[in-house]
Amino acid sequence: MRVLKLLFNGEILEKDFYSMEKRIFVFFSVCLLLVSVLSCSKQRYKPGIYQGTGRGKSGDIIVEILVLQNGNIGEMRIVQHSDTPGISDEVFLQLPRSIIKAKSTEIDTISGATFTSRGVLEAVNDALQKSMR
């Protein structure tokens, strides 16, 4: 056991070095945790309605999103596209629901309509980027 000797008001105090080291470690750990929590609580996106554009298989896809007060997407709609009806219908039906549910654009694309899916995700990311300004 290592002992730290301190001179305090003319008296020599002996303190367990590991005990002090542990307290300092806990103090800095709590400080780091507080900084992490406070920085994560900052809202990333401003509430509002934003449009974004992405490249689909046959041209641009334009989406409109509603960013809520908590920074999540509350609603999303496809404003314009020129992708093949029938093939792209599933993308335009499923992807908005999946994005809203996942609270992210980090989701799987729709099999058989990969380019359209990527275009929608790109458009949503573009709209989210605009909401950060």
Side-chain angles (χ1 to χ4, degrees), residues 23-96:
R23 287 181 190 158
I24 292 170
F25 175 76
V26 169
F27 173 76
F28 283 112
S29 297
V30 168
C31 289
L32 183 62
L33 181 65
L34 284 173
V35 167
S36 297
V37 168
L38 292 175
S39 66
C40 288
S41 67
K42 290 182 181 176
Q43 189 171 339
R44 204 172 151 183
Y45 304 113
K46 290 184 244 173
I49 297 173
Y50 301 93
Q51 279 194 354
T53 304
R55 180 81 177 140
K57 181 156 178 80
S58 302
D60 286 344
I61 297 172
I62 300 173
V63 302
E64 188 173 85
I65 62 170
L66 169 67
V67 177
L68 302 174
Q69 290 292 331
N70 64 6
N72 293 332
I73 298 174
E75 292 180 32
M76 179 182 151
R77 70 183 186 96
I78 309 299
V79 175
Q80 179 183 324
H81 76 89
S82 54
D83 283 16
T84 308
I87 296 172
S88 62
D89 293 347
E90 195 66 25
V91 173
F92 300 137
L93 182 66
Q94 283 188 19
L95 236 49

